[in-house]
Amino acid sequence: MVEKLTAVKGMNDILPPESARWEALETAVRDVMRLHAYRNIRTPIVEPTALFVRGLGEVTDIVEKEMYSFEDRLNGEQLTLRPESTAGVVRAVVEHNLLYEGGKRLYYMGPMFRHERPQRGRYRQFHQIGAEALGFGGPEVDAELILLAVALWKAIGLQDVRLELNSLGQPPERLQHRAALIAYFEQHADQLDEDAKRRLHSNPLRILDSKNPAMKELNDAAPKLLDFLGEESLAHFNAVKAILDVNGVNYRINPRLVRGMDYYNLTVFEFITERLGSQGTVCGGGRYDYLIGEIGGKHAPAVGWALGVERVLELLKEQGSPSPDVAADAYAIVPEASSLPRVMPVLQTLRSMGVSVQMHAPTGAADGMGSMKSQFKKADASGARYALVFGPDELASGQVTVKALRDGQGAQRTEALGHVAEWGHSLQSTLLP
Ligand code: ATP
Ligand code: MG
């Protein structure tokens, strides 16, 4: 026997009927993005490694230990499977000079790759949906993005997420805070874990992002960035909060919220749930006014967020939200293969009218179509609302029997094959109560 090949650990196949939940989320995202005038951008999954090292920061979890980086065997280029998409979007915006006529509102969906320990809500290939507003510096766009996320939660029926908010201030404020942070951690050097010791002088803010429970108490008592903010940063933060207030969006200020990448400044936020254990952040984002400059563009402000698709869907399931109906409207029962040339054009007409039809087909070329009884069994199991019976008697009189399988079980009527346009619509699920 040939050895079976399996998917890479931490990388999942998304199969039907589960994939219907993905499609439903994607449809809701497209609607909500359109309503907020965000347009779709698609960037490559592979980018130069330098983009992430420069963009995300050298001393971050992602760059230090999570990236799938490799050398292109053919030309020696250093490449990386994207661990997130903001850096790639910024690269594309700069490369194509998209900001020359003003700000751009963009969104994306797609797979990301991080070499982490696989567990519930944490995978090596996972999927993000993200929104980015580039070229806008004011607090109203920070708020718009948060409102956009809230609108999405409403559209998909997501409950039990709370919004946490913080401000990381501006570079001079960060510098002051950094000095205070180093002094504080040096005083408690004996309580630092390995990561923290290593980062103490290279990137002390990252220590606050630690996932090590043993570091929590120490981090909780650390100097807060909020206490170092100057007037302008505070005004920006207060303006964001005021807009959320008038829109009835609840939030909690979390002075410990720093996010995992170095590119953030001013507003940062996360939507968090208690229902997914320690993988509770479903969406995170913030302002990144210096990233465009760092990636080689002309300085321009920007703000954005990304949500984890797996975590959002997991939470929806956890809440008991039903899976979308994937059954076809009708299942075509065809006792004799010889009638297929007459049957199949009828099915195509129905489909062109928007009626979804699953046609019975035998498993192997040599098998017959199977008995009526076994075909009805398949029709029932498919979940279709109607069976269309193309039996020899029906066909001889130019008709088809339409039998209700679910609502009004067993009710049946005959319809003329020559007048599909007149009765076909009645099978459409969108017309049913
Ligand atoms: P975490 O703190 O859980 O590691 P993060 O801060 O690394 O998350 P971001 O880089 O901000 O996450 O990514 C945004 C969102 O993408 C997260 O809030 C989460 O929902 C999702 N996400 C991040 N990493 C993974 C992963 N390995 N598997 C599944 N979802 C992920
Ligand atoms: Mg992470």
Side-chain angles (χ1 to χ4, degrees):
M1 259 254 284
V2 184
E3 196 195 333
K4 270 196 191 146
L5 293 169
T6 57
V8 175
K9 187 169 174 230
M11 306 199 180
N12 301 307
D13 299 311
I14 298 145
L15 311 169
E18 182 65 21
S19 52
R21 286 187 184 269
W22 288 68
E23 290 187 310
L25 173 61
E26 288 157 9
T27 302
V29 166
R30 290 192 181 100
D31 283 351
V32 171
M33 294 298 175
R34 187 181 51 79
L35 290 173
H36 291 76
Y38 281 65
R39 313 237 307 256
N40 187 225
I41 181 166
R42 300 169 190 227
T43 61
I45 284 171
V46 178
E47 296 274 3
T49 301
L51 173 67
F52 303 114
V53 177
R54 253 206 273 163
L56 277 52
E58 225 150 332
V59 188
T60 55
D61 277 351
I62 294 180
V63 172
E64 280 184 338
K65 46 196 176 193
E66 296 174 0
M67 292 205 303
Y68 283 94
S69 298
F70 57 98
E71 184 184 294
D72 186 325
R73 276 191 299 178
L74 301 177
N75 60 13
E77 277 184 277
Q78 297 300 320
L79 304 176
T80 293
L81 299 184
R82 64 182 185 194
E84 58 96 64
S85 213
T86 300
V89 167
V90 167
R91 181 207 43 72
V93 163
V94 170
E95 188 169 333
H96 304 286
N97 199 21
L98 290 190
L99 296 183
Y100 78 102
E101 50 169 18
K104 277 271 177 299
R105 292 174 164 94
L106 303 169
Y107 81 92
Y108 59 81
M109 317 196 211
M112 310 294 157
F113 303 83
R114 297 183 193 176
H115 195 100
E116 302 194 68
R117 193 169 67 77
Q119 53 197 291
R120 184 189 189 197
R122 195 175 291 287
Y123 310 99
R124 291 180 175 171
Q125 174 173 338
F126 64 101
H127 297 76
Q128 285 185 340
I129 292 168
E132 316 279 1
L134 304 107
F136 302 100
E140 57 283 340
V141 181
D142 308 29
E144 173 184 279
L145 273 159
I146 293 173
L147 294 174
L148 167 60
V150 171
L152 181 60
W153 307 151
K154 194 165 170 219
I156 61 176
L158 194 78
Q159 303 148 1
D160 296 332
V161 284
R162 68 162 194 277
L163 172 61
E164 293 198 346
L165 212 57
N166 192 19
S167 175
L168 299 182
Q170 298 288 21
E173 296 153 356
R174 292 264 279 271
L175 221 56
Q176 284 190 346
H177 173 252
R178 182 192 153 100
L181 208 53
I182 293 177
Y184 168 81
F185 283 129
E186 275 176 341
Q187 269 172 22
H188 301 88
D190 53 320
Q191 294 170 52
L192 298 179
D193 66 7
E194 284 311 308
D195 267 348
K197 275 184 197 141
R198 201 162 35 79
R199 290 171 173 181
L200 180 56
H201 292 279
S202 55
N203 197 342
L205 193 67
R206 281 277 78 75
I207 299 176
L208 298 177
D209 192 40
S210 170
K211 296 210 166 53
N212 183 357
M215 290 288 299
K216 185 173 183 307
E217 209 175 311
L218 187 65
N219 279 340
D220 279 350
K224 298 180 179 64
L225 236 169
L226 275 182
D227 296 332
F228 290 78
L229 297 193
E231 223 169 278
E232 265 185 54
S233 295
L234 276 177
H236 188 103
F237 194 43
N238 290 333
V240 174
K241 290 191 287 182
I243 300 170
L244 296 180
D245 289 336
V246 297
N247 283 281
V249 175
N250 295 322
Y251 53 86
R252 205 167 89 178
I253 308 298
N254 176 0
R256 239 78 53 187
L257 181 65
V258 296
R259 312 273 308 122
M261 285 72 116
D262 283 352
Y263 53 59
Y264 290 109
N265 68 301
L266 292 177
T267 321
V268 288
F269 56 88
E270 288 188 350
F271 288 90
I272 299 172
T273 178
E274 302 303 329
R275 297 178 69 158
L276 296 179
S278 50
Q279 273 59 254
T281 304
V282 298
C283 175
R287 193 156 264 294
Y288 52 92
D289 292 335
Y290 303 96
L291 183 59
I292 297 177
E294 232 137 85
I295 284 175
K298 193 166 140 258
H299 174 84
V303 51
W305 55 247
L307 67 80
V309 174
E310 285 84 353
R311 292 187 195 178
V312 165
L313 293 179
E314 191 67 29
L315 181 55
L316 280 176
K317 262 200 268 183
E318 183 76 28
Q319 283 171 201
S321 87
S323 191
D325 190 355
V326 292
D329 295 323
Y331 189 102
I333 290 178
V334 192
E336 288 168 12
S338 60
S339 33
L340 283 171
R342 276 190 74 194
V343 170
M344 289 180 74
V346 176
L347 305 189
Q348 287 312 95
T349 305
L350 285 168
R351 289 166 180 148
S352 71
M353 297 168 68
V355 179
S356 59
V357 187
Q358 183 173 344
M359 182 182 76
H360 182 81
T363 318
D367 304 331
M369 293 297 280
S371 69
M372 264 307 222
K373 195 172 153 205
S374 73
Q375 290 198 34
F376 261 110
K377 253 197 191 152
K378 285 242 168 74
D380 269 324
S382 79
R385 278 211 170 73
Y386 297 98
L388 303 175
V389 188
F390 294 92
D393 295 346
E394 279 97 347
L395 289 176
S397 57
Q399 290 183 312
V400 57
T401 299
V402 179
K403 190 166 180 217
L405 294 175
R406 286 201 272 165
D407 332 296
Q409 245 217 19
Q412 63 178 61
R413 59 183 199 264
T414 52
E415 300 285 5
L417 291 179
H419 300 102
V420 178
E422 283 156 34
W423 54 267
H425 291 292
S426 71
L427 306 181
Q428 239 178 312
S429 62
T430 49
L431 299 179
L432 295 166

